[in-house]
Amino acid sequence: MSVSAYPVPLELSPSWSFDGDDGNWSTFAIGVGTPAQTFRVLPSTSGSETWVPLPQGCQGILANVSDCGDLRGVNDVNNAPSSGFQTNASSSWQTIGIYELSTEQALFGTGDDGLYGRDTLMLDLLSTSTSSANQSQNLSSQTIAGVATADFWLGSLGLGTATGNFTVQSENIPSLLDTLKSQGLIPSLSFGYTAGAVYSSPKDYGSLVLGGYDQARFTSSNLSMPLGGSNNQTVELSLESIVAQNVFGGTLSLLTSGNPIITVLDATVSQLWLPQSVCDLFAQAFGLAYDPLTDLYLVNSTIHGQLLDMNPSVTFTVAGNSTLTSSTTNIEFPYSAFDLQAGIPIYNSSTSYFPIRVAANESQYVLGRTFLQEAYVFVDWERQNFTLGQAIHQNTTKHIVPVHSPSDDTSGSTQTQSLSPGVIAGIAVAAGAAVAVATGIILCFVLRGRRRRRVAKAQEAAAEAEQAAAFLPDKKEDPYETVAELHSEHVQPPEIMSEQVYELQDRERKNELMSTPITELPGHAVGQELDGSSEGVPRDEKDKSEQKGVSNSVYELP
C-alpha cells in the first residue's frame, strides 16, 4: 500500500540585498499582481498581511529622491524604475477599500491607513535538491495592503495566522500560512526565522522557512516556551538580565537585578523598545546622545571610533513568560550588531545610531529585528509554543526539519517526522507524569501484598503459640527462659553475617526539559527477623523440657 507523502517546508529566497532606512536588513523576494511586480520585503512575526509600498510614499518631500522606490524595496517594472505597487497594472487586483493598519498600533498609534485589496502573491523559493533553479509559488486572492507611511519604509510579509475581515467582504480572508497549509503546500502553521547579519564575514543573509525550521541555523542550547497574549498567539518572553562588557565603565548590568520585564519578540520593527531606565544605562555604557527630533540614540564619530576599538559585547538572558519553566538561555551580541546607520527619510545622510527606543509603557516593550540578528526563532502556532536560540552565521549548511500539524495521524507512515523542541518537551512532561502514576500503582500493590503476608504469618504464629502453651505446666518464672515474644529489654542481636533486607530506595532523577520533578513513593526498611536460638537456657532445664516433650521454640516476627 502506498503512503501519501507529506508536504515539505518552503524555504523562501533572500533578495540577496540588504535594505532599510534604519539599518541594513536582509530582505526576501516576493511578487504581487498579474503580471507580478516584485518587491524586497521583511518578515513580520506579528502581522498576518502582506504590505507593499505605494507610489504615494515617494511624493511630497521625497519627490526629488530619484531612487526612492528602490530605497523602499521596489524593483523595476518592465526594466523601468518603479516608485511603488501599481494596482491598475495588475489584472488580478480586487480593491477592498482604505482601512487602518492594525499592526504595531501599540508603538505608532492609530492613523496610518492602507489601501487594501486581494491579489495574487508570488513567493520566491530557494532551489530544492531536485532542481538547480529557483522556484516560485503563486497564491491567489491574498490580502494585500498598499502603504505610503514612512513608519513602515519597506514592505512586509505577515507570518501570523489571523484572518482578514472587512465590512465589505462577506467572508474571512485566510492568512498566508493558512492558505499554504490548506492547499497542502506546507505541513503545519509554523515558521523558523533569523534576520541575518550584514556585519558577519561573509555576509549572512536571513533565513525564513515556512512549515518547519532550519536546525543548522541555531545552537542546541535553545529554549522552548509557550506563546503568550490573550489568545496565546504572541511571541512573549521574559528579559531576565542584560550585561555589557568592555563598555565605558567596564562590565555593567543594564537591567535592574531581580526585576525582569515581559517583552514581545517582533521582527516588524527594527529597534529594541525598553524602559527609560534601561535606555539611560545603555546611553551611559555606550556614550550615546538622545535626539528628541527622531527619538533615536546617536553615536558621534569620536565615540564610534572608541567603541570599534573597545569591541564591546552584550548578553541578553531570557526566559519564558510562564511559570511552567524556570529555564533560561543567553543570546550574545557583538557591538557590530548595534552599529547601525539611519538615512532617508529619517536623516538626509547616513548617521550612526544605537537601535534602542524608549517605551512609553509596558505595552511597548519590544525586542525588534536587531535582536533576531543573533537569535533564531521557531514559532509553532498550532501547538502554541516557540523555540529561541543563539543564531549560527553560515550560508552553506542546511538541515530543514518539517514540523507536522498535531492533527496529522502519522500511524503506519514510513516517514520519520521530526518534532519541534516544544513538542518534545511536552511529550517529556506527559511521559514523566505517566511514569509517576505507574510507579505509585505498582508500589501500592507491592506494599498491600506484603501487608497481607505479614498478617497471615502473625495469625499462624499466634495459633502455634496457643497450641504450645496448652502443654506447658504451671511453674515459676525462670530468669533464663528464652523469650518467645519481642520485648524491648530482650531484643536478640542478628546472626553473624546476616543481611538486612530493604525495599528499593529512591534514586536521584534528572528532570527532562520543561518537565516537573518526579519522585517515587519512599521505601520502608523491613524489620529484621528475630533469631530462633535456645542460647542462654541452662542445660538441665533444657533437658527437662525435652523430656516432657516440649521444646523452647522461638517464633519469627510476623
Side-chain angles (χ1 to χ4, degrees), residues 114-456:
L115 174 61
Y116 279 85
R118 302 176 73 168
D119 210 335
T120 299
L121 174 64
M122 180 195 73
L123 302 177
D124 196 8
L125 308 176
L126 287 176
S127 60
T128 64
S129 58
T130 59
S131 174
S132 59
N134 280 15
Q135 301 175 343
S136 62
Q137 181 66 59
N138 291 333
L139 304 168
S140 61
S141 297
Q142 291 299 290
T143 302
I144 307 294
V147 298
T149 174
D151 286 338
F152 305 103
W153 185 245
L154 298 170
S156 65
L157 186 69
L159 303 177
T161 58
T163 57
N165 186 285
F166 303 92
T167 57
V168 296
Q169 293 281 330
S170 59
E171 60 179 329
N172 293 330
I173 306 175
S175 67
L176 168 63
L177 290 183
D178 275 310
T179 300
L180 290 171
K181 184 175 182 297
S182 64
Q183 295 184 11
L185 299 174
I186 58 174
S188 64
L189 302 178
S190 62
F191 70 87
Y193 172 61
T194 184
V198 69
Y199 52 83
S200 176
S201 181
K203 294 179 180 180
D204 185 26
Y205 294 96
S207 172
L208 178 58
V209 178
L210 307 182
Y213 59 93
D214 188 352
Q215 194 173 63
R217 291 305 301 262
F218 65 112
T219 63
S220 58
S221 59
N222 52 69
L223 181 64
S224 293
M225 300 163 273
L227 292 169
S230 57
N231 299 316
N232 292 329
Q233 293 289 291
T234 304
V235 186
E236 283 185 350
L237 50 84
S238 175
L239 187 53
E240 302 287 306
S241 72
I242 308 174
V243 177
Q245 294 179 299
N246 298 330
V247 293
F248 297 112
T251 299
L252 301 175
S253 174
L254 306 182
L255 186 65
T256 305
S257 178
N259 292 304
I261 60 175
I262 304 303
T263 65
V264 174
L265 185 63
D266 187 2
T268 313
V269 295
S270 303
Q271 295 87 21
L272 313 178
W273 293 65
L274 301 168
Q276 178 73 66
S277 59
V278 178
C279 291
D280 290 343
L281 292 174
F282 265 102
Q284 179 183 356
F286 289 89
L288 312 178
Y290 176 69
D291 181 0
L293 296 177
T294 61
D295 289 328
L296 298 182
Y297 284 83
L298 306 183
V299 184
N300 65 42
S301 59
T302 301
I303 296 295
H304 184 255
Q306 292 175 341
L307 290 173
L308 291 177
D309 292 336
M310 295 162 60
N311 192 25
S313 64
V314 181
T315 300
F316 289 76
T317 301
V318 299
N321 179 24
S322 171
T323 58
L324 297 178
T325 176
S326 59
S327 301
T328 62
T329 191
N330 294 333
I331 309 295
E332 299 179 5
F333 294 80
Y335 170 66
S336 51
F338 305 105
D339 185 13
L340 304 184
Q341 288 76 41
I344 295 175
I346 303 173
Y347 295 106
N348 291 330
S349 60
S350 182
T351 303
S352 293
Y353 86 103
F354 198 97
I356 56 174
R357 294 282 296 267
V358 176
N361 50 57
E362 294 180 356
S363 68
Q364 291 189 338
Y365 295 162
V366 172
L367 299 180
R369 200 178 310 113
T370 294
F371 191 82
L372 286 164
Q373 293 176 114
E374 291 294 331
Y376 188 99
V377 63
F378 165 67
V379 178
D380 189 336
W381 297 119
E382 294 177 85
R383 293 180 177 87
Q384 297 185 342
N385 60 33
F386 71 100
T387 301
L388 186 73
Q390 183 83 43
I392 297 176
H393 296 305
Q394 45 77 32
N395 298 315
T396 55
T397 304
K398 294 180 185 179
H399 183 191
I400 305 299
V401 178
V403 176
H404 297 293
S405 174
S407 61
D408 287 341
D409 182 11
T410 59
S411 60
S413 172
T414 58
Q415 179 180 359
T416 300
Q417 176 177 350
S418 298
L419 298 177
S420 69
V423 179
I424 294 173
I427 293 174
V429 172
V435 170
V437 173
T439 302
I441 293 174
I442 293 172
L443 286 177
C444 180
F445 278 109
V446 170
L447 293 176
R448 184 166 23 173
R450 289 178 177 174
R451 283 197 298 271
R452 288 177 178 175
R453 288 194 294 271
R454 285 198 295 268
V455 170

